[in-house]
Amino acid sequence: MEWSFEGAYGAVTVRQEGEKAVCQAIRAADSGGLYKAWLRGAGGRILLGTLIPDGGALRLRRVMDIPALERQGAWPPEGAEILMAYAFTKEAPPPPDWCWTDCPQRLLTEPMLSACLRGVKRALLKRDVEGFYLAFPWPRHQPFPIPPLFCLAKAERLSGNWYILFRFSRRGIPELLHNFSGAGENGSET
């Protein structure tokens, strides 16, 4: 029996050979980052491994015991996916009037909001006389940076990259973003 799953980052095939599952993943080669393949069943998912360069593509081949997959809830397969686990992109310089802050959680006075940023290492910061803006890089496969402030956020393109933007008072209290006019796509005011 054989299964095939395609997604945004490539394809995974799974073939049953007796008590073994032969899992293969492939995607176009790029220098964007490290990609990992996952196999999903009704009761869970299991990491197949990291794709490696091979013949002009990124590939993975792994043979696994079906009883082990069953114990982990990943057999029979119901889906599979390839996800970027780590991006190789170099950090771009901040847009004009912005700077990187290494601990954005310290800028927020509300403990619940600060706790949302516990794992966030960096954000863009722009200060003005009334307060400040925080902009978080927006990779679509990552969790939203401050979920309780979802309705106050704005997706904004700064120097060619997408960010989730928030506005705060000088005391770190969330504010509406109704009058933001930051650097747009071409570095001009938007």
Side-chain angles (χ1 to χ4, degrees):
M1 184 167 257
E2 186 168 307
W3 296 264
S4 183
F5 307 99
E6 290 193 34
Y9 285 121
V12 177
T13 59
V14 181
R15 188 175 65 251
Q16 182 176 356
E17 294 181 0
E19 289 293 307
K20 301 285 185 185
V22 179
C23 306
Q24 297 182 82
I26 187 168
R27 70 161 274 112
D30 72 11
S31 57
L34 290 177
Y35 296 87
K36 294 188 179 279
W38 295 83
L39 182 64
R40 185 175 29 84
R45 73 180 195 157
I46 186 168
L47 176 65
L48 296 175
T50 303
L51 283 72
I52 60 171
D54 179 25
L58 297 176
R59 300 175 193 268
L60 166 75
R61 184 177 190 277
R62 181 146 184 223
V63 179
M64 303 182 78
D65 290 323
I66 290 177
L69 292 172
E70 288 173 331
R71 285 190 299 274
Q72 295 182 37
W75 193 265
E78 292 187 356
E81 59 189 345
I82 298 171
L83 298 173
M84 182 184 282
Y86 180 79
F88 291 151
T89 57
K90 295 178 184 175
E91 186 176 277
D97 301 325
W98 291 83
C99 64
W100 286 107
T101 179
D102 290 331
C103 200
Q105 76 185 54
R106 290 186 186 160
L107 298 168
L108 307 183
T109 56
E110 168 60 45
M112 178 189 65
L113 299 178
S114 182
C116 291
L117 296 178
R118 204 168 276 139
V120 177
K121 304 220 184 324
R122 299 193 86 190
L124 285 173
L125 171 66
K126 180 178 181 178
R127 293 188 183 273
D128 60 27
V129 294
E130 297 172 357
F132 62 93
Y133 297 93
L134 284 177
F136 299 89
W138 189 20
R140 287 183 239 159
H141 60 278
Q142 296 292 330
F144 193 79
I146 310 175
L149 298 182
F150 179 80
C151 292
L152 298 178
K154 179 180 180 187
E156 184 76 22
R157 201 165 181 122
L158 303 171
S159 295
N161 296 311
W162 284 101
Y163 291 87
I164 299 295
L165 188 68
F166 298 95
R167 171 76 185 165
F168 298 92
S169 71
R170 282 181 275 170
R171 295 185 333 206
I173 297 170
E175 295 181 338
L176 290 174
L177 263 168
H178 55 76
N179 62 354
F180 177 73
S181 61
E185 173 63 28
N186 298 320
S188 60
E189 296 295 301
T190 55

